[in-house]
Amino acid sequence: MTIKQQLEEYVLATRPWSFTAAIVPIIITAAVCKKSLFSIEFIRAMCMGITIQAGANLTNTYFDFINGVDSKINGEKTLVERKVSCTEVLVLSLICYLSGLFCILPYLITSKNLSLPVIFMVGVALAYFYTANPIGLKYKALGDVTIFLCFGPLLMQCTSILLVGSTTDDLYLYSIPVGLLTEEILHVNNARDIKADSLSGAITLATIVGPDISYLIFLALLIGSYLSIIIIGLIYHWGCLAALFTIPLALSLDKHYREGKMVDLPAETAQLHLPFGIILALGIALTESGLIALIQ
């Protein structure tokens, strides 16, 4: 394998298709806080979010492999197919975590807001112990709530402190559609892997409730994401209603789920997550009132 090919395998091992889970909340936070996407604070926050997620993805790959969750049939193939060694995955994950820390280290040192180190460390700990032994939150049916917290309130409030020096209460509302759709990416992944996870002893929400209820949860997460957008659009930012134009993508996901085309469904859900989130951010940034106030 050439150096170029090896580097490509390293990049693919971080699952770059999933980075929308970090990118979207950070962009939405910038919109709510009215901060430029070209500011050094935003760039640092974005680099922090992506590198920490990359580290978490690599940690997930390593522990899923050594715990027997991934196989040639299901799950991540990086270690199963020996594209990258276990040692290389661990080293890459450490580099990513340290890079994330380095991105915001000046703020951790100088910030007078003690919430920043607390939120950052809690977020990193949850990201690492999502699959890392001996805790393995994912294997104890706590993965769903972990993902919602990490890519919703925790990441958004950490970004808010980096951008404006304090947490922003409004972000809890905007974390709902973002968090639900990010959780959807995880849920379809776990629904796809119900059989493999059950055989390996991993306990996820999907393995507990089974295929039929998992489909209903899939629908509830999708519907909840769009209902929260409607509420935000009616009361706060009418431009956010434009996110409803992504409904055809959501219907396509539902069609693939019902047809059992689950292999690529997590990546396809991420492809919905990005335009959904970008439109939401634009709606927040470009409109100052809800539709109800506009028509009165």
Side-chain angles (χ1 to χ4, degrees):
M1 186 181 294
T2 66
I3 294 177
K4 179 182 178 182
Q5 290 173 326
Q6 190 64 60
L7 290 175
E8 288 176 350
E9 291 298 340
Y10 289 159
V11 172
L12 291 174
T14 65
R15 306 180 208 170
W17 60 264
S18 70
F19 290 165
T20 175
I23 292 170
V24 165
I26 293 171
I27 291 176
I28 289 174
T29 302
V32 173
C33 295
K34 301 185 184 305
K35 293 293 288 186
S36 169
L37 302 188
F38 301 101
S39 67
I40 187 64
E41 294 85 2
F42 175 82
I43 294 171
R44 284 183 178 274
M46 184 62 74
C47 291
M48 177 270 296
I50 291 176
T51 52
I52 295 297
Q53 185 187 352
N57 286 347
L58 290 162
T59 303
N60 176 235
T61 294
Y62 176 79
F63 284 99
D64 271 355
F65 177 73
I66 66 170
N67 289 324
V69 175
D70 288 340
S71 68
K72 292 183 178 179
I73 300 174
N74 291 290
E76 173 64 31
K77 302 297 190 296
T78 298
L79 292 176
V80 173
E81 297 179 355
R82 302 185 184 280
K83 297 176 180 178
V84 180
S85 71
C86 287
T87 300
E88 287 172 321
V89 166
L90 284 178
V91 170
L92 284 172
S93 68
L94 178 60
I95 291 172
C96 288
Y97 286 126
L98 290 176
S99 297
L101 174 61
F102 178 77
C103 287
I104 68 167
L105 188 59
Y107 300 98
L108 288 173
I109 295 173
T110 61
S111 176
K112 296 180 181 179
N113 192 326
L114 297 179
S115 297
L116 179 59
V118 172
I119 293 174
F120 179 75
M121 294 309 298
V122 169
V124 171
L126 288 175
Y128 179 76
F129 286 111
Y130 174 69
T131 48
N133 297 333
I135 298 176
L137 295 164
K138 170 185 174 180
Y139 311 130
K140 296 179 175 62
L142 294 173
D144 299 86
V145 65
T146 299
I147 291 298
F148 182 88
L149 289 173
C150 283
F151 292 103
L154 288 175
L155 178 55
M156 295 176 81
Q157 292 295 2
C158 183
T159 301
S160 175
I161 296 173
L162 293 175
L163 295 181
V164 297
S166 63
T167 57
T168 304
D169 289 343
D170 289 349
L171 287 173
Y172 292 113
L173 171 64
Y174 300 106
S175 71
I176 294 174
V178 177
L180 289 177
L181 207 51
T182 305
E183 159 58 14
E184 185 77 295
I185 299 173
L186 170 70
H187 180 69
V188 296
N189 180 82
N190 290 343
R192 179 196 64 189
D193 295 342
I194 286 177
K195 185 177 294 185
D197 286 344
S198 297
L199 289 174
S200 67
I203 302 172
T204 66
L205 178 61
T207 62
I208 292 173
V209 302
D212 293 338
I213 302 300
S214 288
Y215 173 65
L216 295 179
I217 294 173
F218 163 80
L219 288 179
L221 290 170
L222 271 184
I223 294 170
S225 299
Y226 284 102
L227 282 178
S228 58
I229 283 293
I230 291 172
I231 293 172
I232 291 171
L234 290 176
I235 301 175
Y236 300 102
H237 302 277
W238 61 266
C240 294
L241 294 172
L244 298 178
F245 286 113
T246 64
I247 286 178
L249 293 175
L251 294 176
S252 177
L253 294 179
D254 177 61
K255 181 174 181 290
H256 288 173
Y257 196 118
R258 287 184 287 104
E259 292 175 347
K261 298 178 180 178
M262 303 288 287
V263 174
D264 296 322
L265 203 56
E268 292 171 358
T269 305
Q271 290 170 6
L272 165 64
H273 185 272
L274 184 59
F276 180 94
I278 295 299
I279 294 171
L280 174 58
L282 288 172
I284 295 169
L286 299 178
T287 58
E288 297 291 337
S289 63
L291 184 61
I292 293 176
L294 193 67
I295 62 180
Q296 285 179 343

